[in-house]
Amino acid sequence: MRVLLVYPRFPQTFWSFDRAVALMGHRVLLPPLGLITVAALLPQSWEFQLVDCNIRAVDEEEWRRADLVILSAMLVQKKDLADQIALAKAHSCRVAVGGPFASSTPDAPELAQVDFLVLDEGEITLPLLVEALTRGDAGGRFTAGGEKPDLEATPPPRFDLLELKAYAMMAIQFSRGCPFQCEFCDIIVLYGRKPRTKTPQQLIAELEALRSLHWRGEIFLVDDNFIGNKRNVNRLLAELEPWQRRRGYPFSFTTEASVDLAGDPDLIGRMTACGFNRVFLGIETPDTGSLSGAGKHQNTRNPLLEAVQTITEAGLLVMAGFILGFDGEQAGAGERIVAFVEESAIPLAMVGILQALPNTALWHRLEREQRLLKLDPQVEASLRGRFDAGVQTNLLNFLPSRPMEEIAAEFLNAFDRLYEPATYLARVQRYASRLGRLQTRRRPSIQGVLGHLGRPAAVAGLLTMIWRQGVRRPSRGLFWRCLLDTLRHRPQLLDQVLWMCLLNEHFLEYRALVREQVQGQLSWSQAHPQALVAA
């Protein structure tokens, strides 16, 4: 069986970091971990070819040779998913689709031409696909029926299928699921509330596989809540730290966690000892009423500013997500988010507008209240590519409790202010001065920076950034103060500070795209009110 694995394109988003990634000589931030896990779960006697459309298009010969095309996508990729399915069918290929988008919306029109829908988690449903193909079935829909797999049986992903140099970071996964019940979150819908983990030996075997392929640098543990199962996390960290030490700390780690991480300083210490240097927190809003209404009670138990300060001083760089548009939200929520970000000095603060994701508790509640918005299929088809679903700028999803125009105006104002270049650089400098010293013996930050400079593209990118931010822009004084202050007082943070400065290039461009997207949707919805229908 010759299998072509195709990963659809992403639109430009906050987290794509396009300009920064390009300046470092890479093409994409992260690889398609789901598809290389699929390849590991299928019979290894099969032949696999992976094409990440964020790097290049599938060529004619690859379409021609494929016995089966497998695609996986998230909601934000659904436009290009539909395009890739159409291309596969035009080449007379059999098509199987899985992943979060298909699992949450299996009857979506984008999936109408698919032969095999492989829903839920592949450890359970991929063997059903293999059985169907062996029988010669022409199509099928395979579900897990609510069953969740034991991740201890999951093999290492097929990292060898990746074009490794194209990616700025690698991705691995330790756990699936989250114990909390945030109303707007689809993780508990897809993966359940009982976090399941791999064994420490499994994860270290994956790291060994990457090391044997000569990957070095940043790895993103894509767990939606890394500390959801603290007992197993502590078991992992107990084995990861000596492995990193013996190998000379080849990797540093970024992950996502709930805010209650701040209440466990010993755990933070073990994470930094293992080489963790960044963590994303879903803070959402400083308004406790909105947090309680959304079921995010874990964020109301302790002061959020203190939580950020605790994690920062322990040596983990905090990135955070914020949301506008909660039910019952009072005017000025955007201003309060800006004030929180500036007081905490969090450099990377994603602000977005609330989305009702399919089959979440929020989705079902809004459906009962007849507040979900749907577009006429022909209208939606005409808007493809103009307004992307599932991204932070999408407005055409549900009827909020206050005027969308008000929410959109606060969102644009907040994003503009937070990512004005001088404001952003000032926040980076303030935050770096608060970030605790990393308690590890891993290579000094300056050596890490020099390691990047072995690649000509990265050297060119760094010089381009210095020219733009250190010479051409009015904020050049801030740029040099930030770098010199880091070199003088926190040289171990130089690689992190340079990365955050590089991100200024992405945000400068993305600010314009955010304004274009939001204003375009507002203008369109005001001109076509009849096209938006409550579901």
Side-chain angles (χ1 to χ4, degrees):
M1 179 75 73
R2 292 189 297 267
V3 178
L4 176 62
L5 303 157
V6 179
Y7 197 51
R9 282 187 292 268
F10 283 91
Q12 188 174 5
T13 69
F14 181 95
W15 295 112
S16 58
F17 295 161
D18 303 75
R19 289 287 164 250
V21 167
L23 284 171
M24 288 305 296
H26 302 293
R27 300 289 301 278
V28 190
L29 183 67
L30 287 164
L33 180 60
L35 277 180
I36 57 175
T37 302
V38 166
L41 289 165
L42 290 170
Q44 294 306 287
S45 59
W46 292 6
E47 177 187 328
F48 298 99
Q49 172 77 41
L50 171 68
V51 176
D52 183 345
C53 295
N54 298 282
I55 298 173
R56 67 173 179 86
V58 181
D59 65 36
E60 289 294 321
E61 177 63 15
E62 288 164 332
W63 288 125
R64 187 190 64 77
R65 293 189 71 249
D67 298 315
L68 177 69
V69 175
I70 298 180
L71 302 104
S72 176
M74 292 183 279
L75 174 63
V76 70
Q77 295 167 280
K78 74 172 186 176
K79 176 189 177 294
D80 196 55
L81 172 65
D83 291 343
Q84 298 303 324
I85 291 170
L87 279 170
K89 299 308 291 184
H91 288 84
S92 302
C93 298
R94 288 184 294 177
V95 176
V97 175
F101 174 63
S103 295
S104 60
T105 56
D107 298 313
E110 290 84 0
L111 305 174
Q113 296 186 72
V114 171
D115 301 296
F116 299 96
L117 279 174
V118 189
L119 310 179
D120 306 322
E121 295 179 64
E123 287 85 351
I124 294 173
T125 53
L126 282 168
L128 303 178
L129 170 67
V130 174
E131 291 173 8
L133 291 168
T134 302
R135 290 192 302 267
D137 295 355
R141 179 185 291 206
F142 314 110
T143 71
E147 184 182 354
K148 304 297 180 187
D150 180 355
L151 299 189
E152 293 187 12
T154 303
R158 289 284 306 273
F159 296 111
D160 59 296
L161 296 174
L162 298 172
E163 188 180 331
L164 289 170
K165 292 181 180 179
Y167 299 100
M169 300 172 69
M170 263 308 107
I172 59 175
Q173 184 181 57
F174 179 60
S175 69
R176 294 179 199 159
C178 178
F180 299 115
Q181 297 189 76
C182 306
E183 184 188 40
F184 53 85
C185 183
D186 64 346
I187 297 308
I188 55 177
V189 176
L190 292 167
Y191 303 119
R193 291 193 55 230
K194 183 179 179 181
R196 294 157 287 128
T197 75
K198 297 174 181 176
T199 65
Q201 294 76 22
Q202 280 176 283
L203 198 81
I204 288 172
E206 294 182 17
L207 296 177
E208 286 284 10
L210 282 169
R211 184 171 168 273
S212 70
L213 291 168
H214 307 292
W215 173 265
R216 299 293 185 274
E218 191 77 17
I219 293 179
F220 186 19
L221 267 87
V222 301
D223 305 29
D224 294 286
N225 185 359
F226 177 64
I227 64 168
N229 186 328
K230 285 189 179 181
R231 181 192 64 176
N232 287 3
V233 165
N234 280 316
R235 289 175 176 172
L236 169 66
L237 298 178
E239 298 201 27
L240 180 58
E241 191 275 333
W243 183 88
Q244 280 269 80
R245 188 165 16 92
R246 288 194 304 271
R247 299 294 187 271
Y249 290 90
F251 307 124
S252 56
F253 301 102
T254 296
T255 194
E256 303 179 44
S258 46
V259 174
D260 56 323
L261 173 64
D264 196 336
D266 290 339
L267 177 56
I268 302 173
R270 284 189 286 273
M271 289 174 66
T272 58
C274 287
F276 283 79
N277 60 18
R278 302 186 192 114
V279 61
F280 174 83
L281 306 177
I283 292 176
E284 320 310 0
T285 175
D287 295 348
T288 55
S290 292
L291 291 170
S292 296
K296 192 133 190 157
H297 303 294
Q298 67 271 22
N299 282 24
T300 66
R301 292 169 187 152
N302 295 292
L304 290 170
L305 275 171
E306 289 182 17
V308 173
Q309 180 179 355
T310 297
I311 296 170
T312 300
E313 290 177 351
L316 285 178
L317 187 152
V318 171
M319 306 176 289
F322 296 88
I323 295 174
L324 281 166
F326 288 111
D327 274 3
E329 182 178 79
Q330 299 300 306
E335 181 66 36
R336 292 189 291 276
I337 288 173
V338 170
F340 183 94
V341 172
E342 286 298 313
E343 188 172 356
S344 65
I346 296 172
L348 305 184
M350 186 199 78
V351 183
I353 294 172
L354 182 65
Q355 301 288 298
L357 298 176
N359 294 314
T360 57
L362 175 63
W363 173 278
H364 290 303
R365 177 171 67 79
L366 294 173
E367 190 174 44
R368 290 193 303 272
E369 296 171 2
Q370 296 186 320
R371 292 169 57 197
L372 286 178
L373 292 176
K374 64 179 180 180
L375 293 171
D376 177 275
Q378 290 185 338
V379 173
E380 185 171 21
S382 71
L383 292 175
R384 284 180 63 202
R386 290 183 58 195
F387 308 134
D388 296 305
V391 298
Q392 70 181 106
T393 57
N394 191 280
L395 311 180
L396 310 178
N397 186 249
F398 73 98
L399 296 169
S401 62
R402 62 181 177 128
M404 179 52 79
E405 292 81 4
E406 183 179 297
I407 297 171
E410 289 188 16
F411 167 65
L412 288 176
N413 179 60
F415 202 87
D416 267 353
R417 290 173 59 190
L418 289 173
Y419 292 101
E420 190 280 322
T423 301
Y424 174 72
L425 282 173
R427 206 161 61 245
V428 169
Q429 183 181 15
R430 291 202 312 278
Y431 194 82
S433 71
R434 302 175 187 181
L435 191 57
R437 295 183 180 274
L438 304 181
Q439 303 300 312
T440 72
R441 297 178 184 175
R442 58 195 169 103
R443 64 186 183 187
S445 172
I446 292 176
Q447 290 183 27
V449 172
L450 293 175
H452 284 295
L453 300 186
R455 296 182 297 111
V459 175
L462 185 62
L463 292 175
T464 299
M465 179 194 72
I466 291 172
W467 170 250
R468 291 174 182 172
Q469 298 187 30
V471 178
R472 293 185 59 191
R473 290 191 192 138
S475 56
R476 54 188 172 270
L478 269 171
F479 172 78
W480 289 115
R481 279 198 298 275
C482 183
L483 287 191
L484 293 175
D485 185 65
T486 300
L487 283 168
R488 187 180 299 119
H489 302 295
R490 301 288 178 101
Q492 77 279 8
L493 299 178
L494 182 62
D495 56 347
Q496 300 235 49
V497 169
L498 282 173
W499 172 243
M500 287 187 284
C501 289
L502 275 171
L503 293 180
N504 209 358
E505 298 303 305
H506 168 65
F507 294 132
L508 187 64
E509 179 180 281
Y510 190 58
R511 285 169 81 211
L513 180 62
V514 165
R515 181 163 292 279
E516 176 187 329
Q517 283 267 319
V518 171
Q519 290 181 337
Q521 288 174 86
L522 284 175
S523 297
W524 183 88
S525 60
Q526 289 164 358
H528 304 86
Q530 72 285 351
L532 291 168
V533 182

